[in-house]
Amino acid sequence: MGEVDYENPWHYKGTAFTSDDIGDFFGYVYRITNLQNGRQYIGRKYFVQKRKPKGGKRRVTSESDWKKYYGSSPELKEDVKQFGKLNFKREILSLHKTLGKVNYEETKQLFLHDVLMESLDDGTPMYYNSNILGRYMKKDYGNFT
């Protein structure tokens, strides 16, 4: 187990996840929970990124920004700014060795958790997720409009 070298670490099966744990995994499906209000976000993240360096001809593979990542939801990012990173729990739900498996599992989890329809006791949407695959939109399915 490697040294935790980043703030508010991701946890997998109750243990902080580090770069040393990546091994041959391509990416993961995660849940971020706002500890202040209980809202959640389910998403996926890859451990590697391919970038073309300035002036370079070939794309270079490097570790992604997964340690600093708080999802792609603008609403979630706004709440992270407002409440502070330490008021959010970051969990890795599953690890996968291929892009296809990461993407499949994310979509499966979004439907299983009914992210477009579930709400908290006060009627607030339980999930920050606003769509699934850019095709199924909360505004079309949720009771929130």
Side-chain angles (χ1 to χ4, degrees):
M1 203 57 156
E3 183 85 17
V4 173
D5 60 354
Y6 63 104
E7 185 184 26
N8 193 18
W10 289 99
H11 279 78
Y12 179 62
K13 296 185 175 176
T15 306
F17 197 86
T18 69
S19 296
D20 293 345
D21 299 318
I22 295 172
D24 57 356
F25 289 112
F26 185 84
Y28 59 98
V29 175
Y30 64 84
R31 174 175 39 224
I32 296 175
T33 303
N34 181 330
L35 300 173
Q36 299 295 308
N37 61 23
R39 293 191 71 199
Q40 300 175 29
Y41 183 79
I42 292 176
R44 64 162 194 256
K45 185 69 178 160
Y46 308 135
F47 289 120
V48 293
Q49 63 186 8
K50 288 185 190 291
R51 288 255 159 80
K52 202 167 173 182
K54 276 196 162 87
K57 288 183 176 24
R58 267 199 285 259
R59 291 173 5 137
V60 177
T61 301
S62 61
E63 195 171 311
S64 73
D65 63 347
W66 68 273
K67 292 177 181 174
K68 298 187 291 215
Y69 194 69
Y70 280 83
S72 60
S73 160
E75 195 182 357
L76 171 59
K77 288 179 182 175
E78 201 48 51
D79 278 2
V80 170
K81 257 189 224 157
Q82 183 186 336
F83 296 111
K85 292 177 180 171
L86 298 180
N87 283 305
F88 291 82
K89 180 167 93 175
R90 302 195 299 165
E91 308 165 83
I92 293 174
L93 301 174
S94 56
L95 293 160
H96 304 279
K97 294 187 178 182
T98 66
L99 176 125
K101 287 182 178 160
V102 175
N103 295 350
Y104 173 83
E105 187 60 29
E106 179 204 23
T107 305
K108 180 174 141 187
Q109 291 303 322
L110 292 171
F111 280 111
L112 281 174
H113 287 88
D114 206 5
V115 300
L116 302 182
M117 303 289 279
E118 285 293 319
S119 58
L120 299 170
D121 291 341
D122 68 0
T124 308
M126 181 181 284
Y127 292 91
Y128 289 98
N129 301 76
S130 61
N131 72 81
I132 296 176
L133 298 171
R135 185 179 301 154
Y136 305 98
M137 304 295 171
K138 180 176 279 179
K139 64 181 176 55
D140 297 333
Y141 298 96
N143 305 321
F144 310 113
T145 51

